[in-house]
Amino acid sequence: MTSILHAASKVRWNKSTAAKRAVFLVAAAYGAKSLYPLIIKHIGRRAGGSHAPGKAEANGLQSALTTTSGGHASPGVNAQFVQQILALVKIVFPKLLTRELALLCLHSAALVSRTFLSIYVAGLDGQIVKSIVEKEPRSFAVKLMKWLLVAIPATFVNSAIRYLEGKLALAFRTRLVEHAYRTYFTEQTYYKVSNMDGRLANPDQSLTEDVMMFSQSVAHLYSNLTKPILDVILTSYTLIQTARSRGANASGPTLLAGLVVFATAKVLRACSPKFGKLVAEEAHRKGYLRYVHSRIITNAEEIAFYRGHKVEMRQLQKCYKALAEQMNLILSKRLWYIMVEQFLMKYVWSGSGLVMVAVPIITATGFADNELADGQTQVLVSERTEAFTTARNLLASGADAIERIMSSYKEVTELAGYTARVHNMFLVFDEVQRGVYKRSSVSTTAVAGEKKSGGRHELHIDGPLEIKGKVIDVDKGIVCENVPIITPNGDVVVSSLNFKVEEDMHLLITGPNGCGKSSLFRILSGLWPVYGGLLYKPAPQHMFYIPQRPYMSIGTLRDQVIYPDSLEDMHEKGFRDKDLEGILDIVNLNHIVSREGGWEAEVDWKDVLSGGEKQRMGMARMFYHRPKYALLDECTSAVSIDVEGKIFQAAKDAGISLLSITHRPSLWKYHTHLLQFDGEGGWRFEQLDTATRLSLTEEKQRLESQLAGIPKMQLRLNELCKILGEDSVLKTEEPDEEE
């Protein structure tokens, strides 16, 4: 102990030493702080194994964030990545001669030009230094003027490279977006992706941010790989030729360069984190955070009524915390990786470069001092200086190129994450169009739990649903033959449905909530597939569906009536604004034309129109399109009874067959047949006797009102018997308090 104290007393502390040691201690403390959680997590993972799920896995939000689409392996630079990017390249370059290929050729030409300019400037630098060493001012001035003149095309080429890279990224994005939109809006894919399939949690993010990041990454990576590879080839060739021309052996420096680059690649490959998986997870969490924001915006009124802002804020904070944790994880991994990368590529490579430049100049016979005929020695200092400057500039350019190639591996792994997400989006779109639907494991688990807890649907189909039914387009009538009603989750609502709706028939559909009324409309509209039996129905243009909450599009008042037609479509059908005014008169909406400022008025119709006005606007669209069959799903629940009756009678007079879901008895008289579901998988199809059904409904309501008072009367009888101390034959036993 005394020896330690004696040695410590001899140590001299000055300001410089204290500062250095303080910096070292701070760096060591920060490193320990950063590495401690990772080490503990690694040890805990080894010790704990997979015996029990962690709290994060038990959390529903965390499981939603960490669930990968379709259960695929994490993205990486492998054969799957090559297949995916080749598939996307076929979309970007659909044929040989395209605008994208022209931009790519121009971009490549600019990159090649920049490489040759770099070699020329390196040689010019050497000549300038030689003129300085030889003290030749005229030669120096000429060389400097050349150097300044070369700077003009060099700077233009640099700017052109960035410009063409941006244009190339935009061209790639445009091609992908056009293909994506075309696929997304074909065969109602936009509906099926969100409602029938569970692999794309946020299609909006895949269509916007993921496509943008993929396009930018591809264009940037092409620039960052093409020019460096060309730089390495040309600078290496120039250096070797220069060394050989001066009698130097270039094999030693070449071998050293190859050895250093190989060792660097091995070390960086071993130290590189899985950036592809990390970036893909970050994009997924960004999309989920945006989804939670959009839910709050969509349901702002309901949340405000419930005063649920605290719950929603906690959800947002939880989502943002998960995103921040992922971003911090990426930043911490990049910290150490970039430190190792910079150490190898800047300092190790610079030292090796000096050796590679010095050895040929020292050993070259062409740079040795020569004895002249008069006995004087010719000192070739200026030639050696020129060669050293040129070689060092070329070597620096080559080293920078190799550094960019090595650094590009990180960008390639990140590109693998974007590629996996974009390719998965197109894969889901394609499979959904072919009728292949896959629900996520989270949704399946939720459904199973609902079934165990005593849900209504006892029948449930596990695994993928097979589409065995057939849909046949006919001119007249709707016929269902043994068609089951099955939800996307696999719940069998009705095992087999049979009915026939002919022309001039009007079908009333009734039943309790969740019995399959709206599901039947989804099948008839083609939103849900027919999993069995035969369905004969008119073509989609002859059927028109009106929901309880009609969709108000962006556009003018005229656009609301003729939706989804355009103004040109309206004129082709022979309609004019006067005809539209007549339609609005039928649904008692003609006042809004003057109220809102005419047909060209453009406001946020979702907020401007009341609930009843929006429903009547939906009925106005029916009169505009004049379909053979109208599917009405509680579409007049906010409309007064007299106006509602006027609309239904006008629809019948127009020759439109009505298939209506309604709970209002006042509308029964406008229908001829009844399809009634019992909520247990059963159904009844029969001719509707409106008078009998109304009398039965009145009797039911009367009995309900009479029976509603019986429990109160029974309770009062028990109280009177207790007060009087008497008994009664109608007295009931009171339940035990313990029970």
Side-chain angles (χ1 to χ4, degrees):
M1 185 67 181
T2 56
S3 62
I4 295 173
L5 293 172
H6 179 69
S9 65
K10 291 184 177 181
V11 177
R12 294 182 178 179
W13 288 74
N14 52 33
K15 291 183 178 181
S16 176
T17 306
K20 289 179 181 177
R21 293 182 180 179
V23 170
F24 175 76
L25 289 173
V26 170
Y30 179 75
K33 177 181 177 295
S34 302
L35 289 173
Y36 177 75
L38 299 176
I39 295 171
I40 293 298
K41 185 178 179 181
H42 185 69
I43 294 172
R45 188 183 299 169
R46 283 192 172 184
S50 57
H51 299 298
K55 291 182 180 179
E57 293 176 355
N59 189 303
L61 170 65
Q62 189 68 20
S63 63
L65 290 172
T66 54
T67 302
T68 56
S69 302
H72 297 296
S74 60
V77 184
N78 47 32
Q80 186 182 19
F81 164 66
V82 175
Q83 292 174 358
Q84 290 174 346
I85 202 164
L86 285 176
L88 294 177
V89 165
K90 290 179 181 178
I91 298 173
V92 173
F93 299 101
K95 54 185 180 179
L96 184 60
L97 299 177
T98 59
R99 181 173 176 271
E100 290 77 16
L101 185 62
L103 285 171
L104 191 65
C105 292
L106 285 173
H107 190 45
S108 303
L111 293 171
V112 172
S113 302
R114 188 68 188 87
T115 300
F116 282 107
L117 282 170
S118 298
I119 295 173
Y120 180 77
V121 168
L124 200 57
D125 286 345
Q127 294 175 20
I128 290 173
V129 172
K130 179 183 177 182
S131 64
I132 293 172
V133 172
E134 291 180 346
K135 297 182 178 181
E136 295 182 1
R138 178 173 292 183
S139 176
F140 170 74
V142 171
K143 298 293 189 299
L144 185 60
M145 286 301 297
K146 283 185 180 179
W147 191 82
L148 290 173
L149 289 173
V150 169
I152 296 173
T155 51
F156 173 76
V157 169
N158 285 339
S159 180
I161 288 173
R162 294 183 182 179
Y163 169 77
L164 290 170
E165 181 183 318
K167 291 285 287 184
L168 201 60
L170 183 59
F172 289 166
R173 183 182 181 184
T174 302
R175 184 73 70 174
L176 288 170
V177 165
E178 286 176 354
H179 180 78
Y181 285 176
R182 191 165 53 249
T183 312
Y184 192 56
F185 288 100
T186 300
E187 309 237 340
Q188 297 169 323
T189 303
Y190 57 90
Y191 171 84
K192 297 174 182 177
V193 162
S194 301
N195 295 275
M196 304 292 294
D197 195 277
R199 285 172 286 178
L200 284 182
N202 304 294
D204 57 332
Q205 189 198 16
S206 299
L207 287 164
T208 53
E209 187 172 345
D210 289 344
V211 171
M212 178 192 70
M213 295 302 295
F214 170 79
S215 304
Q216 291 179 351
S217 183
V218 168
H220 182 67
L221 199 59
Y222 176 77
S223 181
N224 264 22
L225 283 177
T226 305
K227 184 179 181 299
I229 291 172
L230 192 63
D231 285 350
V232 170
I233 295 172
L234 292 179
T235 53
S236 300
Y237 176 78
T238 305
L239 284 169
I240 292 171
Q241 288 300 110
T242 304
R244 286 177 178 173
S245 67
R246 293 290 187 169
N249 187 4
S251 58
T254 304
L255 185 63
L256 176 63
L259 184 63
V260 170
V261 170
F262 177 77
T264 304
K266 281 291 184 183
V267 172
L268 290 180
R269 182 71 183 269
C271 297
S272 175
K274 295 181 179 179
F275 284 112
K277 180 181 178 182
L278 293 170
V279 168
E281 181 63 22
E282 180 188 9
H284 182 67
R285 297 191 183 196
K286 281 181 180 177
Y288 192 78
L289 179 63
R290 186 183 293 108
Y291 165 71
V292 175
H293 272 291
S294 65
R295 282 184 70 255
I296 295 173
I297 294 170
T298 304
N299 304 289
E301 186 175 4
E302 290 84 350
I303 295 170
F305 275 129
Y306 283 116
R307 300 183 182 276
H309 52 277
K310 291 184 179 180
V311 176
E312 301 302 328
M313 186 176 70
R314 283 197 297 269
Q315 288 285 349
L316 272 178
Q317 289 173 337
K318 194 179 293 184
C319 292
Y320 180 76
K321 185 180 178 182
L323 174 61
E325 287 176 356
Q326 184 67 15
M327 295 177 74
N328 280 324
L329 178 63
I330 293 174
L331 290 173
S332 63
K333 288 186 178 294
R334 277 180 176 164
L335 170 70
W336 302 108
Y337 178 76
I338 291 174
M339 185 191 77
V340 174
E341 180 186 65
Q342 293 295 308
F343 172 75
L344 292 172
M345 293 186 179
K346 286 197 176 297
Y347 295 98
V348 174
W349 285 18
S350 295
S352 304
L354 288 172
V355 174
M356 292 166 60
V357 172
V359 169
I361 293 177
I362 293 172
T363 60
T365 57
F367 291 118
D369 296 336
N370 301 323
E371 278 196 22
L372 300 176
D374 55 0
Q376 294 181 355
T377 303
Q378 183 184 12
V379 181
L380 301 178
V381 175
S382 60
E383 281 77 6
R384 286 196 291 266
T385 305
E386 178 187 2
F388 177 78
T389 304
T390 303
R392 186 170 184 179
N393 286 342
L394 289 173
L395 196 64
S397 177
D400 180 63
I402 296 174
E403 180 183 352
R404 276 188 286 166
I405 293 172
M406 304 281 284
S407 302
S408 295
Y409 179 75
K410 173 167 62 47
E411 296 178 10
V412 171
T413 56
E414 292 179 357
L415 174 63
Y418 298 129
T419 303
R421 288 181 63 83
V422 175
H423 182 270
N424 182 58
M425 176 188 72
F426 285 118
L427 178 66
V428 171
F429 287 176
D430 181 61
E431 289 188 350
V432 163
Q433 284 186 6
R434 291 187 284 110
V436 179
Y437 307 111
K438 295 179 183 177
R439 303 295 296 182
S440 63
S441 57
V442 177
S443 299
T444 306
T445 306
V447 171
E450 196 176 291
K451 184 175 64 173
K452 289 177 183 177
S453 63
R456 177 181 289 117
H457 309 302
E458 296 181 359
L459 294 176
H460 180 78
I461 300 175
D462 295 320
L465 299 172
E466 295 183 17
I467 302 175
K468 298 180 179 178
K470 290 184 179 181
V471 180
I472 302 172
D473 286 343
V474 294
D475 293 332
K476 300 177 182 179
I478 298 175
V479 181
C480 283
E481 294 182 0
N482 301 316
V483 174
I485 298 178
I486 303 174
T487 68
N489 285 329
D491 291 322
V492 181
V493 181
V494 176
S495 58
S496 181
L497 181 63
N498 294 277
F499 70 87
K500 182 177 182 180
V501 178
E502 298 177 347
E503 282 190 344
D504 299 326
M505 282 178 56
H506 305 282
L507 181 64
L508 175 67
I509 304 173
T510 63
N513 291 333
C515 67
K517 303 187 297 294
S518 298
S519 301
L520 174 61
F521 279 1
R522 295 186 183 104
I523 293 174
L524 294 177
S525 299
L527 301 183
W528 287 10
V530 178
Y531 290 108
L534 292 173
L535 174 61
Y536 299 89
K537 68 178 187 65
Q541 62 266 25
H542 297 308
M543 302 182 72
F544 197 78
Y545 173 73
I546 306 176
Q548 187 174 12
R549 292 187 299 173
Y551 170 69
M552 296 291 110
S553 67
I554 299 173
T556 63
L557 177 60
R558 184 189 298 105
D559 293 331
Q560 308 311 308
V561 179
I562 66 176
Y563 185 83
D565 282 358
S566 64
L567 184 60
E568 292 76 15
D569 296 330
M570 184 189 90
H571 289 156
E572 285 181 7
K573 290 182 178 180
F575 279 88
R576 295 295 180 266
D577 290 345
K578 283 290 183 183
D579 302 315
L580 299 185
E581 289 176 8
I583 290 174
L584 292 186
D585 189 55
I586 296 174
V587 297
N588 280 22
L589 272 183
N590 47 6
H591 62 280
I592 68 169
V593 179
S594 56
R595 187 188 76 186
E596 302 301 335
W599 289 107
E600 298 297 333
E602 191 168 346
V603 294
D604 191 353
W605 300 106
K606 177 175 63 70
D607 297 328
V608 169
L609 300 180
S610 66
E613 287 175 338
K614 283 188 279 191
Q615 287 191 341
R616 281 180 280 164
M617 185 63 75
M619 297 299 287
R621 292 171 181 170
M622 177 189 70
F623 288 109
Y624 166 77
H625 289 284
R626 292 289 180 93
K628 292 182 179 178
Y629 296 88
L631 311 179
L632 312 179
D633 190 355
E634 290 283 353
C635 63
T636 55
S637 57
V639 179
S640 61
I641 292 177
D642 56 335
V643 175
E644 182 183 51
K646 174 188 173 184
I647 293 172
F648 270 71
Q649 187 59 51
K652 290 181 67 176
D653 295 340
I656 302 173
S657 294
L658 307 178
L659 285 78
S660 308
I661 298 173
T662 181
H663 295 289
R664 285 188 175 179
S666 58
L667 294 177
W668 293 353
K669 61 184 177 182
Y670 301 104
H671 299 83
T672 59
H673 289 74
L674 172 69
L675 176 61
Q676 183 172 335
F677 296 97
D678 60 9
E680 301 294 333
W683 53 274
R684 187 171 83 246
F685 178 69
E686 61 188 12
Q687 191 166 358
L688 177 62
D689 187 347
T690 304
T692 304
R693 188 172 182 84
L694 282 172
S695 64
L696 293 175
T697 302
E698 291 174 359
E699 183 181 357
K700 169 178 167 288
Q701 293 173 347
R702 188 169 58 253
L703 288 173
E704 284 176 345
S705 62
Q706 292 174 353
L707 292 172
I710 288 180
K712 297 179 182 178
M713 296 168 63
Q714 190 67 59
L715 183 62
R716 181 58 179 165
L717 177 62
N718 291 345
E719 290 177 354
L720 291 173
C721 290
K722 188 174 182 180
I723 293 171
L724 297 173
E726 298 176 357
D727 202 355
S728 171
V729 293
L730 297 177
K731 181 183 176 182
T732 58
E733 295 183 2
E734 296 182 4
D736 294 337
E737 293 181 1
E738 294 180 0
E739 295 178 359

